[in-house]
Amino acid sequence: MNDMSTDTNPNVAAVVADLGHRAKAAARDLSMATTKARNLALTEAAKALRARAADILAANAKDLDSISDSGKDAAFIDRLTLTEDRVAAMADALDAIAGQDDPLGRTLATFDRPNGLKINRVSVPIGVIAMIYESRPNVGSDAGALCIKSGNAVILRGGSESLQSSRVIVACLTQGLAAAGLPEDAVQMVDTRDREAVKALLHSTDTVDLVIPRGGRGLVSLVQREARVPTLLHLDGNNHTYLHESADIEKSVGIVRNAKMRRTGICGATECVVIDAKIADQVLPRLAAALKDCELRGDAAARRILPEMTAATDDDWNTEYLSNIMSVKIVDDADAAIAFVQQHSSGHTDAIVTEDAQVAKRFMAAIDSAVVMHNASTQFSDGGEFGMGAEIGIATGKLHARGPVGAEQLTSFKYFVFGNGQQRD
C-alpha cells in the first residue's frame, strides 16, 4: 500500500503516476504467473479476510461513524455496511474464483492457412485496470480477486467513505499475493480522499489500460467526460419487471417483492413494475399489500385502482431510487410494455413475468438490456448468481463485455502465428 495522505495531497498526480508504473511492472509478472500461483494468492487472501474479520468490521465501524452526521440515506449506509456474513461472503467469493477455470491461455480459435501458417487466437490479460467505485468496500475485494485470477494488476479507488475498510481489505489481498510469491503491487489502492486522484487515473494513458467505474450517474458522467483511456461502463440500474396478462398472480407478487425489497440499494433492484391492464385490478392490490414498506408511485390508471397511491411524475420513470420507492405503470398490452421499457430502461436488467413462452421470447429479443429475464427476480443480475464467483460490475455498454463482468471478461486476446520458414510474396 502506498503512503498517500488520507485527506489531500499536493502531489496526487505524481503519486498516482507512481502507482501506475508499479502496477504496470506487476502486471508483467502476474501475466506470466502460473494458474496454481494465482489461485494460491486467492485462497490465501480468503484466509486473511477470515482471520482479520474483526479488524475489517472495526474499520468499517469507523467508516460508518465518519458519515453519521452526513445525512446519507439508508440505501447508501446499507451499501457501506459490512457484517460478519458479508465479510464471510467476500472470502467465499475469493475461494469460488480460485476454483474456476483459468481464463488465460485459452485457444479461442485456430486458423490453418493454405501457405502452412497456423494461427491461434489466445486469451491474455488486459494489463492494468483502474477500478473506481463508490461506498461498497466489498467491491474492492471482488475487483482485486477477479484481476488476480485474470492476470491483471489493479489500482483501486474506492469511495472516501470506505477508506478505513478498504485499507484492511487490500492488505488481505496483498497478503495473499505475498504468500503465493506474486508481486504485491498487483493490487494497490489510491489511499486518499482527494478527488483529483480520480482525474489523475482517468488521464493515466501511459500506465492504465482500462478504467471501470462502478457507481452513480455522477461518477459515470465524470468518467465519460474526463477519461483519456478506454472505459468499461457500469451505468445505473433503472430496471423494470413487466407482468404480462398471462402471468401467474401469486408468482408475480413474489417475484416483484423480491426484485424490489430483498435489497433496495443494489443496482439489480427493480425500480418500476409495468402491469398489463387486463390483470391490473387483480394483481395491484395484492402487490401493494406485499409491498407495504415500499412507497408506490403510479400513473393515472394505477391510481384509479389504488387512489391512495402517490402520483408518478415524468421523472419517476427515469429514476433509480435505490430505496423503498417503486413506480407503477399500467399498459394496454405487451407491445406497449416493450415500448415503455425501451424508452426508460437504463440497459441494465429488465424482466417479464408470463406463462406465454412466445410473448417472453418477443420481449427478451426486443429489450436491448445487458440482462433480460423471464419469470425471475432482477436481483439475480449478479456475477455470483451467474456462477462467476463475483463481479467487477454489470457492463451496460455493447463492446468487449456486457452484463456481469467476471474474470473471463477481464481478458483480451492476441494471435500466435506458427510457421516453418514461410516468406510472403
Side-chain angles (χ1 to χ4, degrees), residues 4-13 16 67 70 72 76 132-135 157-163 190-204 218-219 222-223 225-227:
M4 293 181 71
S5 162
T6 58
D7 295 305
T8 61
N9 189 315
N11 299 314
V12 65
V16 169
I67 65 163
S70 66
K72 297 291 186 183
F76 183 95
I132 304 171
Y133 55 100
E134 296 175 333
S135 70
R157 205 294 183 178
S160 59
E161 301 85 359
S162 62
L163 196 62
V190 185
D191 195 356
T192 179
R193 291 188 172 90
D194 193 330
R195 294 186 177 182
E196 288 301 309
V198 173
K199 289 186 179 180
L201 279 174
L202 296 176
H203 295 173
S204 297
L219 172 62
L222 171 66
V223 171
R225 184 172 64 251
E226 292 285 342

Side-chain angles (χ1 to χ4, degrees), residues 256-266 377 379 385:
V256 174
R257 175 169 176 76
N258 181 267
K260 180 60 193 177
M261 299 302 292
R262 174 187 166 270
R263 286 188 70 183
T264 59
I266 67 172
S377 167
Q379 299 233 356
E385 296 299 323

Side-chain angles (χ1 to χ4, degrees), residues 37 46 64 73 87 96 137 155 172 185 245 285 309 389:
L64 290 167
D73 60 27
V87 174
I155 302 172
C172 292
D185 284 345
E245 64 174 285
M309 188 184 301

Side-chain angles (χ1 to χ4, degrees), residues 23 49 55 165 191 217-218 298 300 338 350 386:
L49 285 172
D55 295 337
S165 307
D191 195 356
R217 191 169 289 274
I338 289 170
D350 294 295
F386 276 42

